[in-house]
Amino acid sequence: MQNQQEKPTKKLQKCSVLGPVAAIFASANTGSWRLERPEVDFDQCIKCGTCARYCPPDIITIDKTKKECVSFDWNYCKGCGICANECPKKCIKMVPEGSEA
Amino acid sequence: MLEIKDEARGLISHGVSACHGCGLEIVIRKVMDALDDDVIILIPPGCAALFSGYCKETNVKVPGYQGNLENTAASASGIRAALKAKGNDHTTVLCFCGDGATVDIGLQSLSGAFERNDKILYVCYDNEAYMNTGIQGSSSTPLFAATTTTPGGKKVRRKDLTQIAIAHNIPYVATASAHNIADLQKKVKKAREADGPALLHIYAPCPTGWRSNPAKTIEISRLAEQTGCWINFEYEDGKVTINSKVKELKPVEEYTKLQGRFKALTPEQKVALQEEVTSNYNATMKKLQFMSE
Ligand SMILES: Cc1ncc(C[n+]2csc(CCOP(=O)(O)OP(=O)(O)O)c2C)c(N)n1
Ligand code: SF4
Ligand code: SF4
Ligand code: SF4
């Protein structure tokens, strides 16, 4: 592990940072935690976007032009089930991760 | 400058190791979405520090500072003073703190910043205990809730943070909750424009600490309002507007039965809790109504 206290940021560019600072914007692969994944029944979906609004990692994208309008970023979905619980049409089902679609 | 390793659509990266179903994760994203990148964020130790990142990596795109549990507001005052000395009057200084860091350990520095009328935007996300160190009770923990330091249920009521803030006569104080995002974001925008300190007290369910189903986080947040356990209102330049419009309160048990921290309540305690919630709700509403005239 790098000891930040001893390694202040050397290159001062636009902002006047005197370090020690974290300067890499990164993401953990929280999708690897998932035990269940959400599955949408697109025949029932009314494209309301409620699922996307409450998703904690904010990884649901709604594309109203498509029939399959709800997509998930599986790198980050933690499988919490909030989307399924909040969907007004109850058209999201949580299925065991690893099972067939 | 920030090196982008994994891009995100907002100001916060998508992969942050908050527990699944974490209410705080919803709250911090919605708060940041209501702001822009002209923000300096201060996060004390606690679960929100997960968003400050680890070592060289960060999970927020804006500059941040992690101080101590007791001094977030004082640090923010210092940052505001430094910005002023540089002629910067546009950057928002945002404190994002847990209830322990606010109602207990950081209360004196918060009170000082309020007294000096320093222009800071102070958000307290309330998960009703010290979660990051293993669910110790705080003075925001509600009556009868079990934590590791109150295993038989907390014996006393919680503090009223907003009334403490209002007593300092600051320009903006409001409560909000994780389920009502439009209301929350409207308040963040108003708070940012306040001519002095602004306090936002935001209800943020914690499935790990409350021993609740992670899928029910938003449902629990809604039930807290519907049962009268939480009231949303805002206080703006001396005047209160009540936002929670509940026609008839639901029984508190609908809220408590979803949470393991209330599992061991005896029948007598259930009755006592209902009485306490109802009387507190009525008294608070009366006070708020008086302050809205
Ligand atoms: C003075 C002091 N005491 C104790 C700690 C250890 N500590 C680190 S995080 C934390 C919990 C903070 O709780 P809270 O502010 O409610 O945030 P949460 O973890 O619930 O998000 C504690 C007690 C500390 N950092 N400083
Ligand atoms: S299960 Fe949770 S993390 Fe996954 S998409 Fe639904 S709300 Fe988002
Ligand atoms: S909440 Fe349900 S109905 Fe609304 S967009 Fe999501 S899946 Fe479709
Ligand atoms: S302990 Fe609670 S507040 Fe902390 S990350 Fe987990 S769910 Fe969120």
Side-chain angles (χ1 to χ4, degrees):
Chain A
M1 196 179 94
Q2 182 203 25
N3 188 337
Q4 290 190 43
Q5 304 302 324
E6 291 163 9
K7 286 197 179 169
T9 310
K10 292 221 178 62
K11 272 192 228 143
L12 291 183
Q13 293 177 3
K14 210 166 127 197
C15 51
S16 48
V17 176
L18 296 174
V21 295
I24 301 171
F25 182 72
S27 246
N29 174 224
T30 49
S32 64
W33 305 0
R34 195 171 55 247
L35 299 176
E36 288 181 320
R37 76 185 131 84
E39 216 173 75
V40 182
D41 174 359
F42 291 106
D43 290 332
Q44 302 289 319
C45 172
I46 51 168
K47 310 187 179 185
C48 66
T50 307
C51 50
R53 189 156 68 240
Y54 291 122
C55 169
D58 186 21
I59 51 84
I60 302 182
T61 306
I62 309 281
D63 181 350
K64 290 193 179 172
T65 62
K66 289 192 191 138
K67 167 129 207 284
E68 306 219 333
C69 59
V70 184
S71 61
F72 304 89
D73 187 338
W74 300 120
N75 288 320
Y76 306 118
C77 167
K78 297 173 182 173
C80 66
I82 290 181
C83 52
N85 199 62
E86 295 311 313
C87 171
K89 299 299 287 180
K90 295 283 170 227
C91 67
I92 305 182
K93 200 170 67 188
M94 297 304 289
V95 299
E97 188 48 278
S99 60
E100 291 292 310
Chain B
M1 286 269 91
L2 206 58
E3 176 191 324
I4 308 281
K5 191 167 148 199
D6 302 300
E7 193 42 291
R9 57 184 171 205
L11 292 168
I12 299 177
S13 65
H14 296 295
V16 179
S17 50
C19 314
H20 63 329
C22 174
L24 144 69
E25 181 165 7
I26 300 173
V27 169
I28 193 169
R29 282 184 202 284
K30 301 307 168 187
V31 168
M32 294 307 290
D33 281 350
L35 299 168
D36 49 41
D37 60 3
D38 191 11
V39 172
I40 294 177
I41 186 168
L42 289 95
I43 302 180
C47 286
L50 297 166
F51 293 81
S52 320
Y54 180 67
C55 227
K56 289 190 292 182
E57 294 183 346
T58 173
N59 289 307
V60 285
K61 280 184 190 164
V62 298
Y65 174 73
Q66 194 177 340
N68 302 113
L69 207 48
E70 39 301 63
N71 62 9
T72 314
S75 308
S77 293
I79 289 177
R80 171 57 69 208
L83 288 171
K84 195 173 167 206
K86 292 176 75 178
N88 173 334
D89 59 3
H90 50 83
T91 300
T92 299
V93 180
L94 169 69
C95 305
F96 199 87
C97 314
D99 48 293
T102 305
V103 284
D104 293 333
I105 304 182
L107 191 58
Q108 42 78 17
S109 74
L110 183 60
S111 174
F114 285 168
E115 187 209 356
R116 293 186 300 273
N117 208 39
D118 291 330
K119 186 171 160 52
I120 61 174
L121 168 49
Y122 193 102
V123 174
C124 170
Y125 64 92
D126 198 346
N127 51 26
E128 302 188 335
Y130 292 81
M131 293 309 176
N132 198 55
T133 39
I135 324 170
Q136 292 84 14
S138 80
S139 50
S140 225
T141 304
L143 186 68
F144 298 146
T147 65
T148 51
T149 52
T150 59
K154 197 182 172 206
K155 293 206 172 75
V156 289
R157 333 164 35 168
R158 61 187 299 171
K159 274 185 201 166
D160 187 342
L161 172 63
T162 46
Q163 290 297 331
I164 295 172
I166 291 170
H168 290 75
N169 219 356
I170 61 173
Y172 192 84
V173 177
T175 52
S177 30
H179 68 276
N180 193 342
I181 292 162
D183 177 69
L184 187 160
Q185 293 191 319
K186 184 191 79 191
K187 288 169 175 169
V188 172
K189 289 187 177 137
K190 275 196 191 175
R192 170 187 225 180
E193 300 306 327
D195 188 23
L199 175 92
L200 277 177
H201 188 197
I202 309 182
Y203 180 84
C206 163
T208 303
W210 298 4
R211 285 178 276 136
S212 56
N213 179 347
K216 304 264 178 193
T217 293
I218 294 296
E219 190 177 326
I220 288 174
S221 177
R222 210 174 276 125
L223 277 167
E225 194 178 15
Q226 292 169 343
T227 54
C229 292
W230 184 268
I231 302 171
N232 283 330
F233 71 93
E234 72 186 325
Y235 167 91
E236 222 180 335
D237 298 319
K239 208 168 169 233
V240 164
T241 311
I242 302 172
N243 309 113
S244 287
K245 300 258 184 309
V246 189
K247 279 204 195 83
E248 201 179 335
L249 294 184
K250 286 189 176 170
V252 177
E253 201 170 349
E254 289 194 23
Y255 171 69
T256 51
K257 73 179 181 201
L258 298 176
Q259 304 168 53
R261 62 178 175 157
F262 292 111
K263 207 171 157 188
L265 291 195
T266 61
E268 296 77 42
Q269 280 179 322
K270 282 184 186 167
V271 174
L273 184 62
Q274 180 65 65
E275 277 170 7
E276 154 68 19
V277 169
T278 311
S279 72
N280 180 60
Y281 178 84
N282 290 337
T284 308
M285 276 304 200
K286 204 170 157 193
K287 193 162 26 183
L288 293 176
Q289 251 137 24
F290 174 73
M291 292 168 79
S292 68
E293 279 151 17

